[in-house]
Amino acid sequence: MNPEDLKYNVSHEWVGLIEENGEQVAVVGITDFAVEQLTDLVYMALPAVGTRVKAGQEFGEVESVKAVSALYSPVDGEVIASHEELVDNLETLGSDPFGQGWIIKVRLENVTSLDGLMDRAAYLQQCADA
Amino acid sequence: MSESHQLELKTTPLTQWHVDHGARMVNFAGYQMPVQYSSILAEHAATRNAAALFDISHMGRLRFEGPRAHELLDYLLTRRVTDIPTGAVRYSLMCNEMGGVLDDVLISNLETPSSRHFFLLVVNASNREKIVKWIGPHLADYPDVVCNDVTESTAMIAVQGPRSAEIVGKLFAPRVVELAYYRALVVDQMHKPCIISRTGYTGEDGFELIVRAEDAGRVWENLLLAGRQHAITAAGLGARDTLRLEAAMPLYGHELSEEMDPITCGLGFAVNLKDRVFIGREALENRRSRPLGVKRIGLRLAGKRAAREGASLIDSDGRTVGHVTSGTFSPTLQYPIAMGYIASELAIEGTAIDVDIRGSKATAEIVTLPFYRRV
C-alpha cells in the first residue's frame, strides 16, 4: 500500500481501503515509525477471524523485549483475516510495514469511522513532534 | 508509546555522549539514562559474546573514612565488614529493624596508592537519598567517621563480557587484569585515580570502574577504542535488565523492598548472624527459624509471551499462589523467563504453574536459578 494514501491512528496504526470480492475492506497495520520505536519484537497476538473491533479499542498486542504495546483498531467492523504468518516472521513488520506487514483485514461497519483519522502529513507531523 | 520527560533530570558525565550517539533516553531514578542505543538484543548479545560498556554513574557511591568506619558499617550491614581484607568487595544488604531490605549494596575495603584506607559503599540510584538519610543518625554516633557522597563528583563505568579482561588489560597494569572476582584496587594511572573492581551485574566476567567525573569521557572513549577489535558496544539499561534477570540477580523495587527480608529472597548467604550486632539482626534471626511462607523462584514460560511484574501465579485449583516480580523474553535462551514469589510448598523445581498475563493464562514451570550461568 502507498503510505501517502493511508489514514493513521494517534497510536501509530495505519488503515487503507481496498476492494476484495466486491466489497470494501480495511487493511490495518502499524507504521515504520512504530516498529522502530518498539525494536526487538518477540511476540504478537492477533484477533481471531470473526472478532468485532471498534475504533479506539484494543484488537491485539505486540511485545518487545522491553515492553508490551496494545494495538488499537482505527475502524469499526469485523475481522475477516488475521495475518497469522506474521507472528513467526515479526521482522516483516520492519522490512515491509505497509505491505507484507499488514496485520488484519476488517469488513467495515461504516466508512465514517475513518473520519477521525489523520492523513499522512498530519501523522508525520505527530511523529516529528514526539 | 514513549514519552520524553523534560523534568529536571540529573545527568551523568556521559549523558551527552549517549545523546550524541543516538541513545533512547529515559528517566531512571531521577537520572536521564540510556535505555538502548540500537537494540537491546544486540547489546545483550554483545555482552554475552564479547564485551559491552555501561554507564552506571547513577549508582550511589559513598566513601567512609576514619578509624571506626568498619565498625559503623558492620552495624549497618547484614554481612561482616570488620574482617573484609583490604582489596575485597562484599555483596550485602542494609536492613531496617524489622529485617526489611533498605537496599542491596556492595561494600569494599580499599587503600589508595598513598596508603589511605577507606570503605566504599555502592548503593542503588533509587535508594541513595534514603540511605544517606538512614546513615545520618548512626554516623553521629561515630564522630571520627566521615562519610562523603562522591556520586556527583565521579562516574561509574562497567565493562562486561568475556573479552573484558583483554580490553581492560590494554589500558591498565597487569595487576588489574589479575584481580580475582569480587576484588578491587585503587590505581593512579597518569595521575588519574580510578577504583576498579572485578564485579558486575550481568552474569559475565567484567570490571566496574569509578573515575573522576572530569575523566569519565576519556576513559569511556579509551575503553571503546581498546575494545574495537572485539566489537565492543555501548549498552543501555534495557540490556542491563535482561542480563541481570538471566543471571537471576535481584533488583531493588522488584525482588527486593522494605516489605521483603533477605532470607525470603534467597539471599541468606549475605546475612551473617554469628557473633555480630547489626540493625535487623533479631528480626532476621526470627525469620531464619520462622520462614515467611513464600520463596523466590524462577519460571520458564511456554510460548513467547513474557510475564511482566505483577502477573499472578495460579495453581491448578485456580487460586492465586504468588506473583511475578520481573520478567522478560530471554535473549540468550530464546524463551520467556521470570522471577517471582510463590507459596513455599509449591516452590519445587519442575512444578507446573499458570501465569495470568493480562487476563489470559500461560503455562510455566518452576526452574532452577540462575537461568543462565557462564561456562
Side-chain angles (χ1 to χ4, degrees), chain B residues 73-133:
Chain B
L73 288 161
D74 199 88
Y75 181 62
L76 294 170
L77 298 176
T78 57
R79 225 162 155 193
R80 201 185 302 276
V81 176
T82 50
D83 69 348
I84 300 179
T86 302
V89 185
R90 265 179 203 170
Y91 175 80
S92 182
L93 289 311
M94 200 179 291
C95 286
N96 59 28
E97 288 84 354
M98 284 89 78
V101 177
L102 293 166
D103 200 11
D104 64 335
V105 302
L106 287 184
I107 179 74
S108 309
N109 181 3
L110 295 165
E111 185 184 6
T112 68
S114 55
S115 301
R116 259 177 90 168
H117 273 270
F118 68 98
F119 284 89
L120 178 77
L121 185 74
V122 176
V123 305
N124 279 294
S126 53
N127 288 331
R128 179 174 138 218
E129 265 182 53
K130 176 179 83 176
I131 294 301
V132 168
K133 263 190 207 149

Coordinates of all heavy atoms in Angstrom, one line a residue, chain B residues 73-133:
Chain B
L73 N 29.9 0.5 59.7 CA 29.4 -0.2 58.5 C 29.0 -1.6 58.9 O 28.0 -2.2 58.5 CB 30.4 -0.3 57.4 CG 30.6 1.1 56.7 CD1 31.9 1.2 55.9 CD2 29.4 1.4 55.8
D74 N 29.7 -2.2 59.9 CA 29.4 -3.6 60.3 C 28.0 -3.5 61.0 O 27.2 -4.5 60.9 CB 30.5 -4.0 61.3 CG 30.4 -5.5 61.5 OD1 31.1 -6.2 60.7 OD2 29.7 -6.0 62.4
Y75 N 27.7 -2.4 61.7 CA 26.4 -2.3 62.4 C 25.3 -2.0 61.4 O 24.2 -2.4 61.7 CB 26.6 -1.1 63.4 CG 25.3 -0.9 64.2 CD1 24.8 -1.9 65.1 CD2 24.6 0.3 64.1 CE1 23.7 -1.7 65.8 CE2 23.5 0.5 64.9 CZ 23.0 -0.5 65.7 OH 21.8 -0.3 66.4
L76 N 25.6 -1.4 60.3 CA 24.6 -1.1 59.3 C 24.3 -2.2 58.3 O 23.2 -2.3 57.7 CB 25.0 0.1 58.5 CG 25.2 1.5 59.2 CD1 25.8 2.5 58.3 CD2 23.8 2.0 59.6
L77 N 25.2 -3.2 58.2 CA 25.1 -4.2 57.1 C 24.9 -5.6 57.7 O 25.3 -5.9 58.8 CB 26.3 -4.1 56.2 CG 26.5 -2.8 55.4 CD1 27.8 -2.8 54.7 CD2 25.4 -2.5 54.5
T78 N 24.2 -6.4 56.8 CA 23.9 -7.8 57.3 C 25.1 -8.7 57.2 O 25.0 -9.8 57.7 CB 22.8 -8.4 56.4 OG1 23.2 -8.3 55.0 CG2 21.5 -7.6 56.5
R79 N 26.2 -8.2 56.6 CA 27.3 -9.1 56.5 C 28.5 -8.4 57.2 O 28.6 -7.2 57.3 CB 27.7 -9.2 55.0 CG 28.0 -10.6 54.7 CD 27.9 -10.9 53.2 NE 28.7 -12.0 52.9 CZ 29.1 -12.3 51.7 NH1 28.7 -11.5 50.7 NH2 29.8 -13.3 51.4
R80 N 29.4 -9.3 57.7 CA 30.5 -8.7 58.5 C 31.4 -7.8 57.6 O 31.8 -8.2 56.5 CB 31.3 -9.9 59.0 CG 32.2 -9.5 60.2 CD 33.1 -10.6 60.7 NE 32.3 -11.9 61.1 CZ 31.8 -12.1 62.2 NH1 31.9 -11.2 63.2 NH2 31.1 -13.2 62.5
V81 N 31.7 -6.7 58.2 CA 32.6 -5.7 57.5 C 34.0 -5.7 58.1 O 35.0 -5.5 57.5 CB 32.0 -4.3 57.5 CG1 32.9 -3.3 56.9 CG2 30.6 -4.3 56.8
T82 N 34.0 -6.0 59.4 CA 35.2 -5.9 60.2 C 36.3 -6.8 59.7 O 37.5 -6.5 59.9 CB 35.0 -6.1 61.7 OG1 34.3 -7.4 61.8 CG2 34.2 -5.0 62.3
D83 N 36.0 -7.9 59.0 CA 37.0 -8.8 58.6 C 37.2 -8.8 57.0 O 37.8 -9.7 56.5 CB 36.8 -10.2 59.0 CG 35.5 -10.8 58.4 OD1 34.8 -10.1 57.7 OD2 35.4 -12.1 58.5
I84 N 36.7 -7.7 56.4 CA 36.9 -7.7 54.9 C 38.4 -7.3 54.7 O 38.8 -6.2 55.2 CB 36.0 -6.6 54.3 CG1 34.5 -7.0 54.5 CG2 36.3 -6.5 52.8 CD1 33.5 -6.0 53.9
P85 N 39.1 -8.1 54.0 CA 40.5 -7.7 53.8 C 40.6 -6.5 52.8 O 39.7 -6.3 52.1 CB 41.1 -9.0 53.1 CG 40.0 -10.0 53.0 CD 38.7 -9.4 53.4
T86 N 41.7 -5.8 52.9 CA 42.0 -4.7 52.0 C 41.9 -5.3 50.6 O 42.5 -6.3 50.3 CB 43.3 -4.1 52.3 OG1 43.4 -3.7 53.6 CG2 43.6 -2.9 51.4
G87 N 41.2 -4.6 49.7 CA 41.1 -5.0 48.3 C 40.0 -6.0 48.1 O 39.9 -6.6 47.0
A88 N 39.1 -6.2 49.0 CA 38.0 -7.1 48.8 C 36.6 -6.4 48.8 O 36.5 -5.3 49.4 CB 38.0 -8.2 49.9
V89 N 35.7 -7.0 48.0 CA 34.4 -6.5 47.9 C 33.4 -7.5 48.4 O 33.6 -8.7 48.2 CB 34.0 -6.2 46.4 CG1 32.7 -5.6 46.2 CG2 35.2 -5.4 45.7
R90 N 32.3 -7.0 49.1 CA 31.3 -8.0 49.6 C 29.9 -7.5 49.2 O 29.6 -6.3 49.3 CB 31.3 -8.1 51.1 CG 32.1 -9.3 51.5 CD 32.2 -9.6 52.9 NE 33.4 -10.4 53.2 CZ 33.9 -10.6 54.4 NH1 33.3 -10.1 55.5 NH2 35.0 -11.3 54.5
Y91 N 29.1 -8.4 48.7 CA 27.7 -8.1 48.5 C 27.0 -8.2 49.8 O 27.2 -9.1 50.6 CB 27.0 -9.1 47.5 CG 25.6 -8.9 47.3 CD1 25.1 -7.9 46.4 CD2 24.6 -9.7 48.0 CE1 23.7 -7.8 46.2 CE2 23.3 -9.5 47.8 CZ 22.8 -8.6 46.9 OH 21.5 -8.4 46.7
S92 N 26.1 -7.2 50.2 CA 25.4 -7.2 51.4 C 24.1 -6.5 51.3 O 23.8 -5.9 50.3 CB 26.3 -6.5 52.5 OG 25.7 -6.6 53.8
L93 N 23.3 -6.6 52.4 CA 22.1 -5.9 52.5 C 22.1 -4.9 53.6 O 22.9 -5.1 54.6 CB 20.9 -6.9 52.8 CG 20.4 -7.9 51.8 CD1 20.2 -7.2 50.5 CD2 21.3 -9.1 51.7
M94 N 21.4 -3.8 53.5 CA 21.1 -2.9 54.6 C 19.7 -3.1 54.9 O 18.8 -2.9 54.1 CB 21.5 -1.5 54.2 CG 21.7 -0.6 55.4 SD 22.2 1.1 54.9 CE 23.8 0.9 54.2
C95 N 19.4 -3.4 56.2 CA 18.0 -3.7 56.6 C 17.6 -2.7 57.7 O 18.4 -2.1 58.4 CB 17.9 -5.1 57.2 SG 18.0 -6.4 55.9
N96 N 16.3 -2.6 57.8 CA 15.7 -1.9 59.0 C 15.5 -2.8 60.1 O 15.9 -4.0 60.0 CB 14.4 -1.1 58.6 CG 13.3 -2.1 58.1 OD1 13.3 -3.3 58.5 ND2 12.5 -1.6 57.2
E97 N 15.0 -2.3 61.3 CA 14.9 -3.2 62.5 C 14.0 -4.4 62.2 O 14.2 -5.4 62.9 CB 14.3 -2.4 63.7 CG 15.3 -1.4 64.3 CD 15.3 0.0 63.5 OE1 14.6 0.1 62.5 OE2 16.0 0.9 64.0
M98 N 13.1 -4.2 61.3 CA 12.2 -5.4 61.0 C 12.8 -6.4 60.1 O 12.1 -7.4 59.7 CB 10.8 -4.9 60.4 CG 9.9 -4.2 61.5 SD 10.3 -2.5 61.6 CE 9.4 -1.8 60.2
G99 N 14.0 -6.1 59.6 CA 14.6 -7.1 58.7 C 14.2 -6.8 57.2 O 14.6 -7.5 56.3
G100 N 13.4 -5.7 57.0 CA 13.1 -5.3 55.7 C 14.3 -4.7 55.0 O 15.1 -4.0 55.6
V101 N 14.4 -5.0 53.7 CA 15.6 -4.6 53.0 C 15.5 -3.1 52.6 O 14.6 -2.7 51.8 CB 15.9 -5.4 51.7 CG1 17.1 -4.9 50.9 CG2 16.0 -6.9 52.1
L102 N 16.4 -2.3 53.1 CA 16.5 -0.9 52.7 C 17.2 -0.7 51.3 O 16.9 0.1 50.5 CB 17.3 0.0 53.7 CG 16.6 0.1 55.1 CD1 17.6 0.6 56.1 CD2 15.4 1.0 55.0
D103 N 18.2 -1.6 51.1 CA 18.9 -1.6 49.9 C 19.9 -2.8 49.8 O 20.2 -3.4 50.9 CB 19.8 -0.3 49.7 CG 20.1 -0.1 48.2 OD1 19.6 -0.7 47.4 OD2 21.0 0.8 48.0
D104 N 20.2 -3.2 48.6 CA 21.3 -4.2 48.5 C 22.5 -3.4 47.9 O 22.4 -2.6 47.1 CB 20.9 -5.4 47.7 CG 20.6 -5.2 46.2 OD1 20.2 -4.0 45.9 OD2 20.7 -6.1 45.4
V105 N 23.7 -3.7 48.5 CA 24.8 -2.9 48.3 C 26.1 -3.7 48.0 O 26.1 -4.9 48.3 CB 25.1 -2.0 49.5 CG1 23.8 -1.2 49.9 CG2 25.4 -2.9 50.8
L106 N 27.1 -3.0 47.6 CA 28.5 -3.6 47.6 C 29.3 -2.8 48.5 O 29.3 -1.5 48.4 CB 29.1 -3.6 46.2 CG 28.5 -4.5 45.1 CD1 29.3 -4.4 43.8 CD2 28.5 -6.0 45.6
I107 N 30.0 -3.4 49.4 CA 30.9 -2.7 50.3 C 32.4 -3.2 50.0 O 32.6 -4.4 49.9 CB 30.5 -3.0 51.8 CG1 31.5 -2.2 52.7 CG2 30.4 -4.4 52.1 CD1 31.3 -0.7 52.8
S108 N 33.3 -2.2 49.8 CA 34.7 -2.6 49.5 C 35.6 -1.9 50.6 O 35.3 -0.8 51.0 CB 35.1 -2.0 48.2 OG 34.2 -2.4 47.2
N109 N 36.6 -2.7 50.9 CA 37.7 -2.1 51.8 C 38.9 -1.8 50.9 O 39.4 -2.7 50.2 CB 38.1 -3.2 52.8 CG 39.2 -2.7 53.7 OD1 39.6 -1.5 53.7 ND2 39.6 -3.6 54.6
L110 N 39.2 -0.5 50.8 CA 40.2 -0.1 49.8 C 41.3 0.7 50.4 O 41.2 1.3 51.5 CB 39.5 0.8 48.7 CG 38.4 0.0 47.9 CD1 37.5 1.0 47.2 CD2 39.1 -0.9 46.9
E111 N 42.4 0.8 49.6 CA 43.6 1.5 50.1 C 44.1 2.3 48.9 O 44.3 1.7 47.8 CB 44.6 0.6 50.6 CG 45.9 1.3 51.2 CD 46.9 0.3 51.6 OE1 46.8 -0.9 51.3 OE2 47.9 0.7 52.2
T112 N 44.3 3.6 49.0 CA 44.8 4.4 47.9 C 46.3 4.1 47.7 O 47.0 3.6 48.7 CB 44.7 5.9 48.2 OG1 45.5 6.3 49.3 CG2 43.2 6.2 48.5
P113 N 46.9 4.5 46.6 CA 48.4 4.3 46.4 C 49.2 5.0 47.5 O 50.3 4.6 47.8 CB 48.6 4.9 45.0 CG 47.3 4.8 44.3 CD 46.3 5.0 45.4
S114 N 48.6 6.1 48.1 CA 49.3 6.7 49.2 C 49.0 6.2 50.5 O 49.1 6.8 51.6 CB 49.0 8.2 49.1 OG 47.6 8.5 49.1
S115 N 48.4 4.9 50.5 CA 48.2 4.2 51.7 C 47.1 4.7 52.6 O 47.1 4.5 53.8 CB 49.4 4.0 52.6 OG 50.4 3.3 51.8
R116 N 46.1 5.4 52.0 CA 45.0 5.9 52.8 C 43.9 4.8 52.7 O 43.5 4.3 51.7 CB 44.4 7.2 52.2 CG 44.8 8.4 53.0 CD 44.3 9.6 52.4 NE 43.0 10.0 52.8 CZ 42.4 11.2 52.6 NH1 43.1 12.1 51.8 NH2 41.2 11.5 53.0
H117 N 43.3 4.5 53.9 CA 42.3 3.4 53.9 C 40.9 4.0 53.9 O 40.6 5.1 54.5 CB 42.4 2.6 55.2 CG 43.4 1.5 55.0 ND1 43.0 0.2 54.6 CD2 44.7 1.4 55.2 CE1 44.0 -0.5 54.5 NE2 45.1 0.1 54.9
F118 N 40.0 3.4 53.1 CA 38.6 3.9 53.1 C 37.7 2.7 52.7 O 38.2 1.7 52.2 CB 38.4 5.1 52.2 CG 38.6 4.9 50.8 CD1 37.4 4.6 50.0 CD2 39.8 4.8 50.2 CE1 37.6 4.4 48.6 CE2 40.0 4.6 48.8 CZ 38.8 4.4 48.0
F119 N 36.4 2.9 53.0 CA 35.4 1.9 52.6 C 34.6 2.6 51.5 O 34.3 3.8 51.7 CB 34.6 1.5 53.8 CG 35.3 0.5 54.6 CD1 36.0 0.9 55.7 CD2 35.1 -0.9 54.4 CE1 36.7 0.0 56.5 CE2 35.8 -1.8 55.2 CZ 36.6 -1.4 56.3
L120 N 34.2 1.8 50.6 CA 33.3 2.4 49.5 C 32.0 1.6 49.6 O 32.0 0.3 49.5 CB 33.9 2.2 48.1 CG 33.0 2.7 47.0 CD1 33.0 4.2 46.9 CD2 33.5 2.1 45.7
L121 N 30.9 2.3 49.7 CA 29.6 1.7 49.7 C 28.8 2.1 48.4 O 28.6 3.2 48.2 CB 28.8 2.1 50.9 CG 27.4 1.5 51.2 CD1 27.6 0.0 51.7 CD2 26.6 2.3 52.1
V122 N 28.5 1.1 47.6 CA 27.8 1.4 46.3 C 26.3 1.0 46.5 O 26.0 -0.2 46.8 CB 28.4 0.7 45.1 CG1 27.6 0.9 43.8 CG2 29.8 1.2 44.9
V123 N 25.4 2.0 46.4 CA 24.0 1.7 46.6 C 23.2 2.0 45.3 O 23.7 2.6 44.4 CB 23.5 2.7 47.7 CG1 24.3 2.5 49.0 CG2 23.5 4.1 47.3
N124 N 22.0 1.5 45.3 CA 21.1 1.7 44.2 C 20.8 3.2 44.0 O 20.5 3.9 45.0 CB 19.8 0.9 44.3 CG 20.0 -0.5 43.9 OD1 20.3 -0.8 42.7 ND2 20.0 -1.4 44.8
A125 N 20.7 3.7 42.8 CA 20.4 5.1 42.5 C 19.0 5.4 43.2 O 18.9 6.5 43.8 CB 20.3 5.3 41.0
S126 N 18.1 4.6 43.1 CA 16.7 4.9 43.6 C 16.7 4.9 45.1 O 15.8 5.5 45.7 CB 15.8 3.8 43.1 OG 16.2 2.5 43.4
N127 N 17.7 4.4 45.8 CA 17.8 4.4 47.2 C 18.8 5.3 47.8 O 18.9 5.4 49.1 CB 18.1 3.0 47.7 CG 16.9 2.0 47.5 OD1 15.8 2.5 47.5 ND2 17.2 0.8 47.3
R128 N 19.5 6.0 47.0 CA 20.7 6.8 47.5 C 20.3 7.8 48.6 O 20.8 7.8 49.7 CB 21.4 7.5 46.4 CG 22.5 8.3 46.8 CD 23.3 8.9 45.6 NE 23.7 10.3 45.8 CZ 23.6 11.2 44.9 NH1 23.2 10.8 43.7 NH2 24.0 12.4 45.1
E129 N 19.2 8.6 48.3 CA 18.8 9.6 49.3 C 18.4 9.0 50.6 O 18.7 9.4 51.6 CB 17.6 10.4 48.7 CG 18.1 11.7 48.0 CD 16.9 12.5 47.5 OE1 16.0 12.7 48.3 OE2 16.9 12.8 46.3
K130 N 17.6 7.9 50.4 CA 17.1 7.2 51.6 C 18.2 6.7 52.5 O 18.2 6.8 53.7 CB 16.2 6.1 51.1 CG 15.6 5.2 52.2 CD 14.7 4.1 51.7 CE 15.5 2.9 51.2 NZ 14.6 1.8 50.8
I131 N 19.2 6.1 51.8 CA 20.3 5.5 52.5 C 21.2 6.6 53.2 O 21.6 6.4 54.4 CB 21.2 4.7 51.6 CG1 20.4 3.4 51.1 CG2 22.5 4.2 52.2 CD1 19.9 2.5 52.1
V132 N 21.4 7.7 52.5 CA 22.1 8.8 53.2 C 21.4 9.3 54.4 O 22.0 9.5 55.5 CB 22.4 9.9 52.1 CG1 22.9 11.2 52.8 CG2 23.3 9.5 51.0
K133 N 20.1 9.4 54.3 CA 19.3 9.8 55.5 C 19.4 8.8 56.6 O 19.4 9.1 57.8 CB 17.8 10.0 55.0 CG 17.5 11.4 54.8 CD 16.0 11.6 54.6 CE 15.7 12.8 53.7 NZ 14.5 12.6 52.9

